[in-house]
Amino acid sequence: MPVLPGAEPYRHSGGEVGVLFCHGFTGSPQSLRPWAEHHAAQGLTVSLPLLPGHGTRWEDMQLTGWQDWYAEVDRELRLLSERCSQVFVAGLSMGGALALRLAALHGERISGVVVVNPANKVHGLSAYALPVARHLVRSTKGIASDIAKGGVAETGYDRVPLHAAHSLRRFLRRLDGELPRIAQPLLLLRSAQDHVVPAVDSARVLERISSADVREIVLEHSYHVATLDVDADRIFEESLGFIGRLAPIPGKEGTAAVG
């Protein structure tokens, strides 16, 4: 299936500091593209992959699970590590969860973590019905485009495939047990109003990790997809400042490439 317009992966060859960006569940690189481009413009090497089953049609996602999504970002991390002397991971929602697992499993290979509205649990009574419901109902209402800013839309699916949702639930439960292994510096930004991931998820992440260098920022004007919302510029600047405090950011730009 052809990739939806704007959902293409994005990569930028810059300096010795690299950032791996991970998009969210049923979303696409479009939701993080401005963030990635902002960092690329400052001379950083950037990778923003398209996760398997995403960016085409929701039916394609039925054939994938968390192992596929994690394998993709793990591969991109290894490629960045070969190219860069220091690597940071960043993500939105489930992408934040993927970034956290990379930090938990790869330790000192990752210099720092930036997460925006990270997911920690699939909430509600429906979550407990997923093991059975996924065999009876193929999909449910989508979660894309939870954005306060008018005229802005997220390129994501309008349906949530339940097989994939069940896999996400299993992944988040596994990740929760791995969070204490995270000791890298961490910047967590969360929206005051989020209709997809509740604030308790961020609180759980902060409670469970072992990092000593931790900062939490509350985004007062944005909903879940904050990277496309009113507070987007603040996210970009805060994350760039976080990275710049931990690694030397080159002053010259590299060359960008799509795909």
Side-chain angles (χ1 to χ4, degrees), residues 98-256:
L98 291 171
L100 289 168
R101 187 165 202 256
L102 288 171
L105 270 56
H106 288 281
E108 294 182 356
R109 179 177 294 183
I110 294 173
S111 297
V113 186
V114 183
V115 289
V116 178
N117 295 322
N120 177 260
K121 183 180 180 180
V122 177
H123 295 269
L125 293 175
S126 59
Y128 297 96
L130 277 174
V132 175
R134 66 194 177 103
H135 297 294
L136 304 174
V137 181
R138 298 185 68 198
S139 68
T140 188
K141 182 180 178 181
I143 57 174
S145 284
D146 184 35
I147 300 172
K149 188 176 182 179
V152 180
E154 179 187 18
T155 301
Y157 296 148
D158 59 2
R159 304 293 297 176
V160 172
L162 293 192
H163 278 299
H166 176 64
S167 185
L168 172 62
R169 180 172 181 253
R170 293 174 58 197
F171 168 62
L172 294 178
R173 292 175 69 179
R174 175 186 290 260
L175 172 63
D176 190 68
E178 297 169 338
L179 288 177
R181 298 171 61 178
I182 298 173
Q184 298 94 332
L186 181 137
L187 173 63
L188 185 150
L189 304 102
R190 65 172 179 85
S191 299
Q193 294 187 66
D194 188 327
H195 306 98
V196 178
V197 174
V200 67
D201 282 31
S202 289
R204 177 69 175 178
V205 169
L206 295 175
E207 171 190 315
R208 296 279 288 162
I209 62 173
S210 301
S211 306
D213 183 348
V214 177
R215 185 182 179 201
E216 178 184 17
I217 295 175
V218 178
L219 307 171
E220 298 289 350
H221 310 291
S222 300
Y223 293 163
H224 183 64
V225 191
T227 50
L228 294 178
D229 216 328
V230 179
D231 295 298
D233 287 343
R234 185 176 185 192
I235 294 171
F236 305 165
E237 292 302 327
E238 293 284 0
S239 62
L240 189 64
F242 171 79
I243 293 170
R245 179 170 62 83
L246 298 167
I249 296 179
K252 62 179 181 179
E253 298 182 11
T255 56

Side-chain angles (χ1 to χ4, degrees), residues 5-64:
E8 303 87 357
Y10 171 76
R11 295 176 181 87
H12 174 97
S13 181
E16 288 292 315
V17 179
V19 186
L20 170 59
F21 291 92
C22 309
H23 70 75
F25 183 71
T26 73
S28 76
Q30 178 260 356
S31 62
L32 301 188
R33 181 69 177 256
W35 190 9
E37 289 180 336
H38 180 86
H39 285 55
Q42 300 303 315
L44 280 73
T45 293
V46 167
S47 175
L48 171 53
L50 173 64
L51 300 180
H54 292 72
T56 53
R57 57 177 190 163
W58 70 262
E59 290 89 346
D60 294 333
M61 207 175 163
Q62 288 280 50
L63 306 176
T64 66

